[in-house]
Amino acid sequence: MDSSVKIINEWDIVAARQLGRNVAKELGFGTVDQARITTAISELARNIYLYAGQGEITIEKVENGAKKGMTIISRDQGPGIPDLRKVMEDGFSTSGGLGAGLPGVKRLMDEFSIESEPGKGTLIQSVKWLR
Amino acid sequence: MNFRDTMLDEYKEILKTYINDQTEQALYMSQKFSKKSIEYKISPEEMISLHKTSIMEIEPDLPESLLLSLDILLEVMMSYGLAYREHQSLRTIQRELINEIEVAASMQQTLLGTQIPKIPSMDIGAISVPAKQMSGDYYHFVSHENGAISVAIADIIGKGIPAALCMSMIKYSMDSMPEDSQAPGDVLERLNRVVEQNVDPTMFITMFSGLYNPETHLFSYSSAGHEPGFFYHAETGEFEELQAKGLLLGVDKRAKYREYERKLKIGDIILLMSDGVTECRTEEGFLEVETLIGYIKKYIHLGAQDIADKVYKELEYLQDFQLRDDFTLIILKRTS
Ligand SMILES: Nc1ncnc2c1ncn2[C@@H]1O[C@H](COP(=O)(O)OP(=O)(O)OP(=O)(O)O)[C@@H](O)[C@H]1O
Ligand SMILES: [Mg+2]
């Protein structure tokens, strides 16, 4: 039931969004949450495309007791992020204070975790719960 | 009831009213609605969705293309929503920073506090007002065991928190100054070495250091590039600038500071100040020395603290109550 999209070129970002949207719709997320989830996927996939060269986006359905939701997993073997604290600060992203980037993903989703090792790659997992 | 539960109905009502007859009333209602939705943290993308739901209920026969167009609008508003949320969180951070600075400023006041000495032959007054929260001005008194009094006034070139931190260092070095190095030149030489070693080379400090001997009534002083003070001769009513040569602290560790001396007669006054006093700016430009002296003369018959307070009030008024620079004024008046 998990499904992944390999991110190699810019069009794969669209495929990842599409996958995320399908799962979100299927789970019953409303249009606003669908837009939030796909925006988060876009940001993560674009980072893979821009900074890691390649990687993949996996979408999983999750259940926690009565709660249902979905997880976006972004995984790559790229250069990694040396200073995680910095990139999670508002206003740090190169787009400069537009609220997007990783802090934006964190805001759009309900849960967010990031692991990164310089030279090895980056793993970001983020969950949105159905309300 | 929570706004989130009622907002759909409220919004539909506004929309209906406006569609029926395009009144200013409905537009005003929508302005009020938007204020409330911001208060309840409704994001732009939620607003679009609310709009779409409302219009679909009010006008079920709308063309599909129009409804689809709202999907694009929603997607486009996503980034605006994110930018808005970031702005909100930066505002919270800003508020926290302001609070921290306020705490730091009050700590600075406590830390830098100095007691104005009380001795029989001299009446002393001092006022120091920061332009912003943290002051870059500093003054310090020491009453020595032999009855002499040291006075120091310093101005850090550079403002805000770095200046305040630097000041704490100066204060600490002054407090740990040995009893036997009271001579103003020695004091400056010592502090100069401390500053030269410990302070960022872009930060400079000007300082005036003085020592008053109540037995001889001699006032000796040295200056490290500080704003010259004034000497008021009670007999003639004349003001004389207390010129003194000396390099700013922290420029050259071998700097030497020449000592000068004045004898105070009864009624004579020494005025020390920071450049916030002389460089106080009005609409007509910089304050003229004559104007400053005019104010001092106006209050010269008062006690030292009153002179300082009153002159400050005058200059504050002159600048429309907007200090551009930290303001410090010290008055030493020989009374007997
Ligand atoms: N998968 C990744 N691999 C390596 N570095 C990354 C990765 N994702 C992000 N980074 C680094 O973290 C920084 C911050 O990323 P973030 O997405 O927050 O902002 P941005 O991409 O610089 O700008 P924006 O996304 O707003 O256009 C990036 O500039 C990049 O250096
Ligand atoms: Mg990015």
Side-chain angles (χ1 to χ4, degrees):
Chain A
M1 66 170 260
D2 305 348
S3 32
S4 303
V5 173
K6 283 218 154 38
I7 308 294
I8 296 164
N9 61 50
E10 197 171 359
W11 300 114
D12 298 327
I13 300 174
V14 178
R17 284 180 61 113
Q18 186 67 64
L19 172 66
R21 183 164 315 261
N22 292 345
V23 175
K25 259 190 199 160
E26 210 178 294
L27 281 166
F29 279 104
T31 44
V32 172
D33 277 340
Q34 284 175 33
R36 287 176 179 156
I37 290 164
T38 48
T39 303
I41 293 173
S42 270
E43 291 293 326
L44 294 172
R46 216 162 54 89
N47 281 355
I48 292 179
Y49 167 69
L50 286 176
Y51 309 118
Q54 55 175 300
E56 65 180 6
I57 297 283
T58 305
I59 307 293
E60 283 176 10
K61 294 180 188 167
V62 282
E63 268 190 57
N64 183 357
K67 277 202 297 188
K68 266 194 189 171
M70 62 188 275
T71 308
I72 309 167
I73 301 160
S74 157
R75 197 191 319 258
D76 66 64
Q77 270 84 50
I81 303 171
D83 192 346
L84 284 179
R85 224 161 74 110
K86 262 248 137 72
V87 302
M88 293 315 295
E89 259 172 36
D90 279 320
F92 177 77
S93 84
T94 45
S95 62
L98 297 183
L102 295 174
V105 173
K106 190 173 173 180
R107 280 205 191 92
L108 291 167
M109 303 292 288
D110 295 322
E111 285 169 29
F112 180 92
S113 76
I114 178 166
E115 290 163 51
S116 188
E117 211 173 313
K120 293 232 166 108
T122 303
L123 174 67
I124 298 170
Q125 306 193 57
S126 138
V127 185
K128 187 88 185 164
W129 296 108
L130 202 58
R131 248 175 290 271
Chain B
M1 253 230 269
N2 194 326
F3 176 68
R4 274 186 180 270
D5 300 328
T6 57
M7 66 179 182
L8 179 63
D9 290 335
E10 267 181 57
Y11 190 75
K12 262 193 336 208
E13 210 41 56
I14 295 169
L15 210 52
K16 252 192 244 164
T17 315
Y18 187 71
I19 289 170
N20 288 340
D21 37 18
Q22 294 76 53
T23 57
E24 198 60 39
Q25 163 77 2
L27 293 173
Y28 176 58
M29 295 302 285
S30 53
Q31 186 202 352
K32 289 216 300 200
F33 182 89
S34 76
K35 281 198 179 150
K36 217 160 163 194
S37 57
I38 285 178
E39 190 188 324
Y40 282 87
K41 301 193 166 59
I42 311 296
S43 61
E45 66 269 16
E46 276 176 283
M47 270 316 301
I48 310 285
S49 160
L50 187 75
H51 180 81
K52 188 176 172 187
T53 314
S54 308
I55 195 72
M56 278 165 71
E57 287 178 24
I58 297 169
E59 301 279 329
D61 301 324
L62 278 183
E64 180 71 7
S65 60
L66 194 75
L67 295 177
L68 287 174
S69 78
L70 293 177
D71 296 345
I72 294 297
L73 185 59
L74 188 145
E75 200 63 45
V76 169
M77 289 320 277
M78 282 307 297
S79 296
Y80 284 88
L82 280 175
Y84 175 68
R85 274 178 276 227
E86 181 184 62
H87 173 82
Q88 294 291 326
S89 94
L90 289 175
R91 262 184 47 170
T92 314
I93 293 172
Q94 187 193 34
R95 222 169 298 132
E96 283 166 6
L97 277 177
I98 288 173
N99 286 345
E100 260 176 53
I101 292 171
E102 268 165 17
V103 174
S106 80
M107 268 177 73
Q108 189 197 24
Q109 289 311 312
T110 320
L111 198 71
L112 300 187
T114 180
Q115 202 88 44
I116 295 180
K118 289 208 180 349
I119 52 166
S121 60
M122 184 170 261
D123 179 17
I124 304 176
I127 182 168
S128 187
V129 184
K132 299 221 183 89
Q133 280 166 325
M134 307 284 268
S135 179
D137 278 2
Y138 174 56
Y139 70 92
H140 190 79
F141 290 103
V142 182
S143 308
H144 298 287
E145 281 155 18
N146 60 5
I149 297 231
S150 281
V151 53
I153 175 166
D155 185 352
I156 303 199
I157 303 174
K159 296 257 154 325
I161 296 171
L165 289 174
C166 172
M167 195 114 54
S168 307
M169 188 190 70
I170 297 278
K171 152 93 176 171
Y172 179 75
S173 334
M174 300 270 279
D175 282 345
S176 45
M177 198 72 69
E179 259 295 301
D180 59 4
S181 70
Q182 300 175 356
D186 288 354
V187 170
L188 291 184
E189 272 162 40
R190 245 167 207 285
L191 285 175
N192 178 53
R193 284 195 297 269
V194 173
V195 172
E196 205 272 334
Q197 275 172 24
N198 297 292
V199 177
D200 184 290
T202 60
M203 187 130 53
F204 296 105
I205 302 170
T206 73
M207 187 163 195
F208 182 101
S209 171
L211 179 71
Y212 174 68
N213 182 331
E215 273 152 32
T216 59
H217 302 292
L218 283 174
F219 182 76
S220 51
Y221 62 95
S222 299
S223 172
H226 195 80
E227 189 66 30
F230 287 104
F231 191 102
Y232 170 74
H233 297 273
E235 252 172 29
T236 58
E238 274 166 26
F239 281 86
E240 175 202 355
E241 242 181 31
L242 281 180
Q243 288 291 357
K245 280 207 176 88
L247 219 50
L248 306 185
L249 299 183
V251 177
D252 176 1
K253 68 167 173 263
R254 287 155 309 180
K256 293 273 173 236
Y257 295 93
R258 217 183 113 183
E259 253 171 54
Y260 303 78
E261 217 170 50
R262 286 281 186 290
K263 192 176 169 85
L264 278 86
K265 300 198 191 107
I266 292 177
D268 286 354
I269 297 177
I270 285 168
L271 299 108
L272 306 176
M273 59 202 75
S274 65
D275 59 9
V277 177
T278 44
E279 279 168 23
C280 124
R281 238 185 251 245
T282 63
E283 268 173 16
E284 291 94 56
F286 280 121
L287 175 79
E288 299 286 333
V289 175
E290 286 72 40
T291 319
L292 175 64
I293 288 179
Y295 287 131
I296 296 170
K297 274 189 175 150
K298 186 170 163 191
Y299 299 113
I300 204 97
H301 57 283
L302 299 174
Q305 189 61 49
D306 285 337
I307 300 177
D309 292 344
K310 290 274 199 299
V311 170
Y312 169 69
K313 284 266 174 329
E314 293 275 4
L315 295 183
E316 192 188 29
Y317 178 79
L318 205 64
Q319 299 183 85
D320 287 330
F321 302 96
Q322 284 168 345
L323 285 193
R324 283 170 188 82
D325 200 354
D326 305 322
F327 180 107
T328 301
L329 179 61
I330 295 177
I331 311 277
L332 307 163
K333 186 178 195 176
R334 184 180 161 196
T335 49
S336 62

